[in-house]
């Protein structure tokens, strides 16, 4: 695995004009359009990157994009690898490990989720301040590679406190109200039953989704700092649980995209 990470990073560095990117960004459902705002972009299709998992979903144009946001050098992933697609956890988190190998110390994650906090509305954006891993596994199971990180990583600050307050500052400055809360990561691909939403709420989560937790765990293991935002695309609030479809999730996420993009842009500017 270490050889694969090194080989892939070397390939990417030979194809993209990488200097010292400040952050890696994983654009989830609801932030794909952000890719169009990257200045001086150069991109690689995932299909052309050695050792990158290949998308199982037809018409899913996964791309790794290098460029600048307000002059800040970044690398963005348009499209991520979800556990429910059948990838192993090693594959799901592989790009994060490659980013670290490329010298990136900060990771920004975005996703869409179902809101269980009764004060949330569809279209709200939540700063993820902690998570609960409800995936049936963990990307760090098995042999530990000490070159990547410790056997027993500390998870006391999965989302950097300083980045949470920076995100809050960005919201305030832009006049965009941001929620804050705990994200529960589940395998999917089913959305939750009413009883499952209730259960996940009771154990302490404000939102639930099918990504982000594996990438966060891999990043913390690597010693990276992480910030994350989630678009609330449907509600799993007791008594308010309604039918939900992938199309509705995508539509709600797309509607919130401009807000999410402004916050992310300002965040990167302040980070620099
Ligand atoms: N549950 C799980 N994943 C999701 C949801 C949800 O309600 N909404 C968007 N992704």
């Amino acid at each position: 695995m270490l050889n694969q990470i090194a080989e892939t990073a070397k390939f990417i560095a030979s194809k993209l004009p990488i200097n010292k990117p400040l952050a890696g960004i994983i654009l989830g459902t609801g932030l794909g359009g952000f890719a169009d705002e990257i200045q001086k972009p150069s991109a690689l299709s995932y299909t052309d990157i050695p050792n990158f998992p290949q998308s199982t979903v037809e018409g899913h144009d996964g791309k790794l994009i290098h460029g600048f946001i307000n002059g800040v050098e970044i690398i963005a992933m348009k499209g991520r690898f979800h556990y429910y697609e059948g990838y192993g956890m090693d594959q799901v988190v592989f790009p994060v490990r490659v980013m670290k190998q490329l010298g990136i110390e900060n990771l920004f994650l975005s996703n869409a989720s179902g809101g269980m906090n009764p004060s949330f509305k569809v279209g709200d954006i939540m700063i993820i301040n902690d998570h609960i891993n409800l995936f049936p596994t963990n990307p760090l199971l098995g042999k530990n590679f000490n070159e990547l990180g410790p056997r027993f990583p500390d998870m006391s600050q999965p989302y950097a406190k300083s980045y949470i307050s920076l995100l809050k500052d960005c919201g305030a400055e832009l006049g965009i109200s941001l929620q804050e809360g705990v994200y529960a990561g589940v395998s999917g691909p089913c959305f939750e039953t009413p009883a499952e939403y209730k259960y996940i709420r009771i154990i302490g989560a404000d939102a639930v989704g099918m990504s982000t937790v594996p990438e966060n765990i891999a990043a913390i293991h690597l010693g990276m700092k992480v910030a994350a935002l989630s678009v609330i695309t449907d509600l799993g609030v007791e008594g308010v649980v309604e039918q939900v479809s992938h199309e509705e999730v995508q539509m709600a996420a797309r509607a919130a995209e401009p807000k999410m993009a402004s916050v992310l842009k300002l965040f990167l500017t302040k980070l620099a």
Side-chain angles (χ1 to χ4, degrees):
M1 176 164 64
L2 297 176
N3 288 339
Q4 289 193 339
I5 295 167
E7 182 189 25
T8 303
K10 206 170 147 202
F11 174 85
I12 293 168
S14 75
K15 297 283 180 191
L16 301 178
I18 294 173
N19 182 26
K20 178 84 179 115
L22 182 66
I25 303 171
I26 299 184
L27 301 169
T29 311
L31 210 58
F34 185 78
D36 300 331
E37 304 198 29
I38 298 172
Q39 297 137 4
K40 295 195 241 163
S42 25
L44 289 170
S45 283
Y46 293 164
T47 45
D48 295 331
I49 304 177
N51 306 319
F52 247 51
Q54 298 310 325
S55 181
T56 56
V57 188
E58 223 170 300
H60 228 264
D61 66 330
K63 274 195 175 70
L64 188 71
I65 309 165
H66 172 270
F68 298 83
I69 294 290
N70 291 342
V72 180
E73 187 183 352
I74 55 102
I75 286 187
M77 283 180 70
K78 185 180 180 191
R80 59 150 58 85
F81 302 102
H82 295 93
Y83 184 68
Y84 63 73
E85 291 175 82
Y87 299 113
M89 277 294 182
D90 277 356
Q91 295 178 292
V92 171
V93 305
F94 185 76
V96 175
R97 291 176 168 156
V98 170
M99 283 181 181
K100 173 69 193 244
Q101 180 86 20
L102 287 166
I104 297 171
E105 301 289 347
N106 298 295
L107 182 65
F108 183 94
L109 299 165
S110 69
N111 64 48
S113 64
M116 292 163 305
N117 183 319
S119 71
F120 287 4
K121 300 179 309 294
V122 168
D124 280 357
I125 295 173
M126 181 183 93
I127 301 170
I128 300 179
N129 63 15
D130 202 344
H131 74 224
I132 300 174
N133 180 18
L134 294 179
F135 284 84
T137 182
N138 183 303
L140 305 182
L141 274 182
K143 175 180 159 60
N144 185 60
F145 292 94
N146 295 320
E147 295 87 341
L148 300 180
R151 171 74 288 186
F152 301 107
D154 169 63
M155 290 294 285
S156 60
Q157 221 179 116
Y159 303 86
K161 281 206 178 91
S162 54
Y163 292 175
I164 293 168
S165 40
L166 205 56
L167 284 168
K168 284 188 200 172
D169 294 346
C170 294
E173 202 169 313
L174 295 164
I176 294 173
S177 73
L178 297 173
Q179 305 282 9
E180 183 184 340
V182 175
Y183 174 91
V186 296
S187 74
C190 299
F191 291 110
E192 287 64 37
T193 66
E196 286 166 347
Y197 280 123
K198 184 176 176 181
Y199 158 73
I200 298 167
R201 175 69 183 151
I202 287 170
I203 63 169
D206 298 284
V208 58
M210 306 175 196
S211 68
T212 300
V213 167
E215 292 112 317
N216 173 282
I217 291 172
I220 295 299
H221 183 235
L222 292 158
M224 298 170 85
K225 284 174 83 174
V226 184
L229 289 177
S230 186
V231 190
I232 306 299
T233 55
D234 53 278
L235 296 176
V237 175
E238 203 177 358
V240 193
V241 180
E242 285 182 351
Q243 263 195 18
V244 56
S245 69
H246 183 55
E247 289 65 36
E248 283 168 297
V249 165
Q250 284 184 309
M251 240 165 56
R254 221 168 285 139
E257 191 169 292
K259 278 200 293 184
M260 190 97 136
S262 326
V263 175
L264 174 53
K265 267 195 232 170
L266 188 56
F267 176 78
L268 291 168
T269 310
K270 285 182 183 287
L271 200 62

